[in-house]
Amino acid sequence: MTTAFYTHADCQRHEMGDWHPETPLRLQAIEDQLITSRIDQFLERRDAPLADVADIERVHTANAVALIRDNAAALAQDNLAHYPLDGDTSINRYSWNAALRAAGAAVAATDAVIAGELENAFCSVRPPGHHATPTTPMGFCLFNNVAIAARHAIDVHGLERVAIVDFDVHHGNGTEAAFKHDPRVLMVSFFQHPFYPFSGADPSEPHILNEPLPAYTAGNVVRQLVTDKWLPALHAHQPQMIFISAGFDAHREDDMGQMALVEADYAWMTKQIMDVARQHARGRIVSCLEGGYNLSALGRSVVAHLKVLADLD
């Protein structure tokens, strides 16, 4: 079986200013490390298609969609650079297409994995998604790519149980909001707390397993948490497919957070997720890039993740 690598040049045309850490250089850093590590030849490259608006509106309101579409069009018409959505999130004239490509990659990967064309896939896309709520873009995120893919798996393909694993340094508040009242979707996550978006620490629904961790938490603590909390919950849920919000900003070299993971921790977590997927979900995994802002650490961590997904390590 094959591991696919979905991306598109449109995802590098979205930018929020030269000062912004969520930069197009993030995708280039991943490409550079794929070449350096020599694993590119073992991945099936696929272009991310444009998502249909109907795909996005399974998770997001029509107003949330129009906010991005209409303002991107207005920027192009008026020859303006950026439109601010919040204090750290903005769009440019290319952001609508980039967001459609990011969501489209996740949906296309879901279709291909469920069809049996692929065992799993990684979507090297931006803008990221897990902070985008059904009504509001925020935290560098426009549309919630993983939530859109998970909803597509349920509504279009008829899956009855899926799981979302989120190992970004920030709580995936948008993903939780999308599925808080849908027990078909198990969400397991850890994140630094207290930290942006300052949510997730209070008890939630039984199918939402948030694990807030203090700053400077290292990989050994995370591994124990995964063993003691995540894996029993995942096995109990018996997901028919697993989606990963793959943020790499909990790396010890990433100044966006203050956690202390390294590449080997991401590889280990990926291996545990794959074992669950092979036991319950025919190996079906779609992973989507979220955070990761130290370019070298991001590229190396994605390679570690991909080596395990592709059975190269």
Side-chain angles (χ1 to χ4, degrees):
M1 296 291 286
T2 304
T3 295
F5 183 88
Y6 283 82
T7 193
H8 197 280
D10 283 353
C11 292
Q12 297 198 46
R13 302 182 80 185
H14 161 72
E15 54 82 24
M16 296 182 280
D18 291 343
W19 60 273
H20 205 288
E22 207 292 283
T23 167
L25 294 175
R26 299 177 65 229
L27 299 190
Q28 188 57 55
I30 292 170
E31 295 285 355
D32 292 345
Q33 286 291 335
L34 289 181
I35 294 169
T36 300
S37 66
R38 301 181 179 179
I39 70 166
D40 196 36
Q41 61 186 309
F42 300 106
L43 307 174
E44 181 175 315
R45 282 189 167 268
R46 295 194 175 191
D47 280 342
L50 296 167
D52 292 333
V53 169
D55 295 326
I56 296 171
E57 289 185 345
R58 289 192 182 93
V59 170
H60 296 281
T61 64
N63 285 343
V65 173
L67 178 67
I68 309 303
R69 180 191 60 223
D70 296 351
N71 283 295
L75 289 172
Q77 179 177 326
D78 297 337
N79 198 29
L80 298 174
H82 298 103
Y83 177 85
L85 299 171
D86 64 26
D88 57 16
T89 311
S90 64
I91 60 172
N92 68 359
R93 70 187 66 189
Y94 305 112
S95 299
W96 170 247
N97 267 9
L100 290 182
R101 296 288 185 191
V107 170
T110 299
D111 287 339
V113 169
I114 289 177
E117 298 172 23
L118 309 167
E119 181 171 21
N120 55 53
F122 179 76
C123 300
S124 185
V125 294
R126 50 182 297 279
H130 75 152
H131 293 309
T133 74
T135 60
T136 309
M138 61 180 287
F140 311 169
C141 301
L142 303 185
F143 301 134
N144 195 318
N145 307 314
V146 160
I148 290 166
R151 183 62 69 194
H152 181 79
I154 292 168
D155 291 354
V156 175
H157 291 285
L159 298 193
E160 297 175 348
R161 297 176 311 282
V162 303
I164 296 174
V165 176
D166 188 327
F167 51 67
D168 193 275
V169 79
H170 305 95
H171 173 232
N173 60 299
T175 309
E176 179 172 341
F179 297 112
K180 187 170 184 177
H181 302 296
D182 189 345
R184 294 174 296 180
V185 182
L186 171 70
M187 178 181 177
V188 298
S189 74
F190 68 78
F191 47 88
Q192 183 178 324
H193 181 79
F195 203 38
Y196 182 90
F198 304 101
S199 59
D202 295 330
S204 186
E205 304 300 317
H207 63 284
I208 305 291
L209 185 63
N210 293 324
E211 294 292 340
L213 297 171
Y216 310 111
T217 297
N220 63 317
V221 175
V222 168
R223 293 187 191 209
Q224 196 65 52
L225 179 156
V226 169
T227 301
D228 293 345
K229 301 290 185 66
W230 281 14
L231 294 181
L234 287 163
H235 284 298
H237 189 65
Q238 298 183 7
Q240 297 164 304
M241 190 164 184
I242 298 177
F243 298 88
I244 303 175
S245 273
F248 299 96
D249 40 5
H251 195 284
R252 67 183 179 188
E253 295 173 23
D254 199 309
D255 291 337
M256 186 65 73
Q258 292 83 42
M259 290 185 66
L261 272 63
V262 296
E263 296 94 305
D265 297 316
Y266 292 114
W268 182 87
M269 284 191 291
T270 306
K271 175 65 164 57
Q272 310 316 304
I273 297 165
M274 284 188 68
D275 287 347
V276 174
R278 285 174 170 165
Q279 183 168 339
H280 301 292
R282 305 180 199 170
R284 300 187 293 201
I285 296 173
V286 170
S287 177
C288 295
L289 180 66
E290 300 284 2
Y293 305 98
N294 178 294
L295 298 180
S296 176
L298 170 63
R300 298 187 330 258
S301 298
V302 169
V303 165
H305 182 55
L306 281 167
K307 280 183 175 180
V308 178
L309 287 177
D311 276 335
L312 300 175
D313 207 7

